[in-house]
């Protein structure tokens, strides 16, 4: 099976003159909800859809708790989740107070199994 992509133009402003470059960008097929994910998983194991759904919801809550405690989270077969945070720049270090530092995004560093999967992905141009 292959993953769809489209070609999009982007302006390259890194040189003296602006150039248009074309890049392959993946196209999603849609979004799978937590409920749909639980249903799919329940067909492959002995857990019920409800048990899986409850586990997914609790995993989300526990990830938030562990991130709040300052930990990263390693999910086998997926990768390590961690927070990206930052602030504006200040001339005086004392001005960089806790309320000025904000979480920016949740990041993931793919584990070796996920990296192998990504290397095997095939792409097909979408019309």
């Amino acid at each position: 099976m292959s993953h769809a992509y489209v070609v999009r133009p982007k302006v390259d402003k890194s040189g003296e003159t602006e150039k248009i470059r074309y890049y392959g960008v993946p196209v999603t097929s849609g979004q799978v909800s937590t409920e749909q994910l639980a249903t799919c998983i329940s067909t492959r194991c002995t857990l019920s859809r409800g048990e899986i759904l409850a586990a997914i919801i609790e995993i989300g809550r526990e990830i938030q708790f562990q991130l709040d405690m300052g930990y990263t989270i390693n999910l086998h077969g997926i990768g390590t989740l961690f927070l990206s945070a930052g602030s504006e720049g200040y001339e005086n270090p004392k001005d960089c107070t806790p309320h000025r530092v904000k979480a920016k995004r949740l990041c993931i560093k793919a584990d070796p199994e996920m990296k192998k999967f990504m290397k095997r992905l095939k792409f097909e141009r979408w019309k």
Side-chain angles (χ1 to χ4, degrees):
M1 184 167 272
S2 58
H3 195 88
Y5 77 95
V6 294
V7 178
R8 295 256 165 83
K10 293 183 183 179
V11 178
D12 179 2
K13 298 179 183 180
S14 62
E16 290 183 20
T17 60
E18 290 184 1
K19 297 178 186 175
I20 295 179
R21 298 282 186 225
Y22 296 89
Y23 298 89
V25 181
V27 176
T28 61
S29 299
Q31 188 175 53
V32 177
S33 71
T34 305
E35 291 80 7
Q36 291 169 315
L37 195 60
T39 300
C40 292
I41 294 169
S42 70
T43 65
R44 294 192 306 265
C45 68
T46 60
L47 297 173
S48 72
R49 180 185 171 280
E51 291 168 328
I52 294 167
L53 192 55
I56 292 170
I57 291 167
E58 286 306 314
I59 288 169
R61 289 179 182 151
E62 189 62 24
I63 286 171
Q64 289 177 19
F65 176 76
Q66 296 298 334
L67 289 171
D68 192 35
M69 298 301 294
Y71 291 94
T72 61
I73 296 96
N74 182 272
L75 298 173
H76 177 75
I78 299 172
T80 302
L81 303 176
F82 60 96
L83 288 177
S84 165
S87 70
E88 293 181 29
Y90 298 96
E91 289 182 21
N92 185 336
K94 292 180 182 180
D95 292 336
C96 189
T97 56
H99 75 278
R100 292 185 169 155
V101 180
K102 304 290 181 200
K104 300 290 183 187
R105 56 182 58 91
L106 177 64
C107 303
I108 182 168
K109 181 179 186 244
D111 82 349
E113 193 174 326
M114 185 61 75
K115 286 180 181 177
K116 285 179 189 174
F117 162 76
M118 291 168 57
K119 284 183 180 179
R120 291 190 313 264
L121 273 177
K122 303 288 184 220
F123 286 87
E124 182 176 300
R125 193 162 178 170
W126 194 65
K127 299 167 184 156

